[in-house]
Amino acid sequence: GNSVTQMEGPVTLSEEAFLTINCTYTATGYPSLFWYVQYPGEGLQLLLKATKADDKGSNKGFEATYRKETTSFHLEKGSVQVSDSAVYFCALRGGADKLIFGTGTRLQVFP
Amino acid sequence: DAEITQSPRHKITETGRQVTLACHQTWNHNNMFWYRQDLGHGLRLIHYSYGVQDTNKGEVSDGYSVSRSNTEDLPLTLESAASSQTSVYFCASSGGGDRAYNEQFFGPGTRLTVL
């Protein structure tokens, strides 16, 4: 069946450091892929998405590229800020609009 | 502005009691979803609905039920609360159809504690 695997956290970085959060998936066909972000005490918000192989999603300085050959959708940001501290979820869209989430990766950024 | 709301935001109840969590969206979305969030599991799908009078079981539906009598609301009922149902519950909605990039919009969550 479909599944998503994320790197375990927490990821701890200093401000302006480079961020990578790994995400790989198992799926039949070519699912759409998403990164959601959850700030403390809030619900999830869509951060970026990609719908087909080699698509690059980007938003707020974050990027992720849909890699079909490695079944990956790693999240990257060149220079993180304290305000980026949150939990990040990778997800794939399975059949009929259902989302399958990874376990989430907590990012902590210190000044 | 359109939004999705959940109530209550926090709830403490006792084992064996029936509990209902409310979810209301003003996006006029066809699809609505209930998830639970637990450490080490991410979000897991409990129930979902593609329209009025339609409900479907998700990955972890045992002990939960939903009903969809209108477009805006999808209440989640715990028939007889158990300590294993202590969790944070999120409701979400999306526009429906088969668009590959459909975004789900999430509510703020309800933290439920079963003692």
Side-chain angles (χ1 to χ4, degrees), chain A residues 93-109:
Chain A
R93 179 177 178 268
D97 212 24
K98 290 188 288 183
L99 288 177
I100 296 168
F101 287 90
T103 54
T105 302
R106 180 175 300 278
L107 170 65
Q108 298 174 320
V109 181

Side-chain angles (χ1 to χ4, degrees), chain A:
Chain A
N2 296 340
S3 66
V4 175
T5 302
Q6 283 183 243
M7 63 187 290
E8 290 189 14
V11 174
T12 304
L13 295 173
S14 298
E15 208 165 23
E16 299 184 3
F18 184 86
L19 168 71
T20 300
I21 299 178
N22 290 337
C23 171
T24 57
Y25 67 90
T26 301
T28 54
Y30 306 100
S32 297
L33 300 173
F34 305 82
W35 277 101
Y36 279 81
V37 58
Q38 183 181 30
Y39 298 103
E42 298 184 11
L44 279 70
Q45 305 172 24
L46 180 65
L47 181 60
L48 53 83
K49 62 194 175 198
T51 61
K52 60 182 186 296
D54 300 324
D55 264 4
K56 177 184 285 189
S58 61
N59 186 26
K60 299 181 181 180
F62 290 89
E63 294 183 340
T65 301
Y66 190 145
R67 301 285 189 197
K68 176 173 170 290
E69 63 277 11
T70 55
T71 61
S72 65
F73 192 55
H74 304 322
L75 182 68
E76 298 181 335
K77 186 175 185 182
S79 176
V80 294
Q81 305 300 312
V82 172
S83 58
D84 293 326
S85 299
V87 180
Y88 294 82
F89 291 93
C90 185
L92 67 82
R93 179 177 178 268
D97 212 24
K98 290 188 288 183
L99 288 177
I100 296 168
F101 287 90
T103 54
T105 302
R106 180 175 300 278
L107 170 65
Q108 298 174 320
V109 181
F110 293 96

Side-chain angles (χ1 to χ4, degrees), chain B residues 61-114:
Chain B
S61 61
D62 287 350
Y64 304 94
S65 64
V66 294
S67 61
R68 187 91 179 270
S69 58
N70 58 52
T71 300
E72 297 80 16
D73 299 290
L74 187 70
L76 176 72
T77 298
L78 287 68
E79 303 293 346
S80 177
S83 57
S84 60
Q85 294 176 308
T86 293
S87 186
V88 180
Y89 291 85
F90 287 99
C91 181
S93 70
S94 69
D98 197 29
R99 295 184 303 167
Y101 50 86
N102 254 355
E103 176 181 353
Q104 287 191 15
F105 295 85
F106 283 78
T110 295
R111 182 175 295 277
L112 176 68
T113 302
V114 182

Side-chain angles (χ1 to χ4, degrees), chain B residues 49-68:
Chain B
S49 168
Y50 292 138
V52 176
Q53 302 301 331
D54 176 75
T55 62
N56 305 278
K57 294 181 178 180
E59 178 188 0
V60 290
S61 61
D62 287 350
Y64 304 94
S65 64
V66 294
S67 61
R68 187 91 179 270

